Amino acid sequence: MAKSKKSAQIIDTVDVDGKSYKMVCIDIQQEGTVSEIPMRIKDFIEDMERGKISRDTLIQREINQWSGLLKSNFIYSIMINRPIGTILTATGRSDTQNYAVNSLIDGLQRSTTIYDFVNDKFRLSNKLKPIRCKFKDTESGDIISKEFAVAGKRFNQLPEILRDAVLDYRLIICSYKGFSDDELDNILYCVNSGKSPTSYQKMRFALGSNAMRTIQPMCDSDLWEDVAGCTAKNDSILCAVLRVIMMYSLYNCTNYGISEMNKFVDDFDENTDMQTLTSVNELIEQFADIKNQMTDDELTALNACSIPHFIIGLDRFNAICEKKSQDKTYLECYRAFIASDDYKKFLEFSQSGSGTAQYSADSVEDRQYIFDGFIEDFFDLPLPHNGIRVDVESDTSDADIVDEPHTNIIQIKNTADVIDAEFNENYTDDFVQAVLNSD
């Protein structure tokens, strides 16, 4: 006969001062409070318009994740008084940095759909079925039940009865108050993880509100409009920004794919500093201004794979112009590049399909080396090309050769020194030998 397994011993007692105490319940008097508040949609929208409820929680997924049909079915449920779930808001403690205003931590898509529909920003889907309503004969007073078509209508095109049904619908608001920012970030992540966020969207949770306060303005730049592979909806813009930051900060990595970006994000504060983030933000805005001057054909060269390289190249272009007082523009350089044979080589390392090859360290390095080399040739500066990228930092006077096993980068500090070292005919034999032997 087989032996029966013994169940694990459950311990529900604690000893305090020689006395034994048995657990009787969970002590709910912990830090922070949670309360349920019924609120009409009319009042909810008014609070959003007055800024009393914020939809700008930094680690929330971007708005407009829903299709038109999904939005329409959601509004339909409201009109016929069906439950639509609880909406969660949060206000942090007195020392909060990210939840000073009562902020949505769950219900962003629902709240946005409600707000947009009431403000006539979309029509109900033509696929929406009619709503059965009661009608009164204006003469006899007889009541009949009949279907009424709402498909294709905006809010202000609905009869008053249906508009009131939306505005008077009672939401259930679950309000979190008095929690720390880290606790609220964690609560937001937990309640949203069941919504199957993409790998890109999960990075927003991992970064947390503090980091996103700095990164979000870069994501909001109009640079990313109509750039292939970059959309706010799935946070691929965020990933393009992160790749620029990784490249600019000379982060040592084996690739620039999702797994490596997650490692970078996990130690974001250690891998970056405010000077780096400020510089990247300035480069993004500068390139956005340049992009606005491009023709439609020139814009086709911009995509999620190429645009980080053009942003990093802009930094190198600026350094050369500053030292050499050049009057050439980056747009001229960009136009010359995409018309050149070097651009054809650049595209060879920009394979479509899996990001494994597209964002390998070798492919990223080869693409940047090709473009950096073109920038040097664009200024007719005779730097010998040997597969090494030179990056410029400031505020130091010494030139350091840094061994980067995955990126083959020579890091030379001080903008003035780097240009002199590269292009001055009087540079020393020791420097030349160091560059040639750096592989």
Side-chain angles (χ1 to χ4, degrees), residues 83-250:
I84 60 169
T86 303
I87 292 176
L88 276 57
T89 65
T91 307
R93 300 186 312 206
S94 59
D95 60 348
T96 182
Q97 295 293 315
N98 307 309
Y99 297 91
V101 177
N102 194 25
S103 304
L104 282 169
I105 59 174
D106 188 45
L108 178 62
Q109 308 308 320
R110 286 173 288 166
S111 300
T112 300
T113 299
I114 291 169
Y115 184 88
D116 287 352
F117 181 66
V118 171
N119 284 280
D120 276 351
K121 293 188 177 181
F122 69 90
R123 298 176 183 273
L124 295 175
S125 169
N126 288 325
K127 297 180 179 179
L128 209 60
K129 63 183 181 180
I131 293 179
R132 183 162 289 277
C133 301
K134 290 183 178 181
F135 295 82
K136 182 179 181 180
D137 188 305
T138 57
E139 294 182 0
S140 66
D142 293 340
I143 302 294
I144 62 170
S145 180
K146 188 174 178 59
E147 290 186 338
F148 181 82
V150 295
K153 290 182 171 60
R154 296 181 184 272
F155 178 77
N156 281 333
Q157 294 173 326
L158 294 173
E160 184 179 358
I161 295 295
L162 292 178
R163 294 201 305 269
D164 287 344
V166 173
L167 294 176
D168 291 337
Y169 182 92
R170 286 189 173 270
L171 302 168
I172 300 298
I173 311 297
C174 189
S175 175
Y176 287 74
K177 291 186 177 181
F179 293 88
S180 68
D181 284 5
D182 287 343
E183 288 173 317
L184 292 175
D185 280 355
N186 186 58
I187 291 169
L188 191 155
Y189 175 77
C190 289
V191 298
N192 280 277
S193 60
K195 304 289 179 63
S196 299
T198 67
S199 298
Y200 290 172
Q201 290 165 343
K202 289 179 181 177
M203 288 186 194
R204 190 174 286 268
F205 296 131
L207 283 163
S209 296
N210 286 328
M212 285 306 304
R213 287 167 64 195
T214 305
I215 297 175
Q216 190 60 48
M218 305 181 201
C219 299
D220 292 338
S221 170
D222 60 6
L223 169 63
W224 311 105
E225 292 181 9
D226 302 321
V227 173
C230 292
T231 62
K233 183 174 181 178
N234 65 0
D235 264 334
S236 50
I237 290 177
L238 173 61
C239 280
V241 170
L242 286 174
R243 288 188 176 109
V244 175
I245 296 172
M246 291 169 71
M247 294 165 67
Y248 187 90
S249 63
L250 304 180

Side-chain angles (χ1 to χ4, degrees), residues 243 246-247 253-260 305 309 348-351 353-368 406-407:
R243 288 188 176 109
M246 291 169 71
M247 294 165 67
C253 60
T254 57
N255 64 75
Y256 290 80
I258 296 297
S259 60
E260 198 69 25
C305 180
H309 294 287
E348 292 177 5
F349 298 101
S350 304
Q351 298 96 335
S354 170
T356 302
Q358 201 173 39
Y359 294 115
S360 70
D362 288 341
S363 291
V364 171
E365 181 186 350
D366 287 337
R367 288 195 298 265
Q368 195 63 48
H406 298 300
T407 53

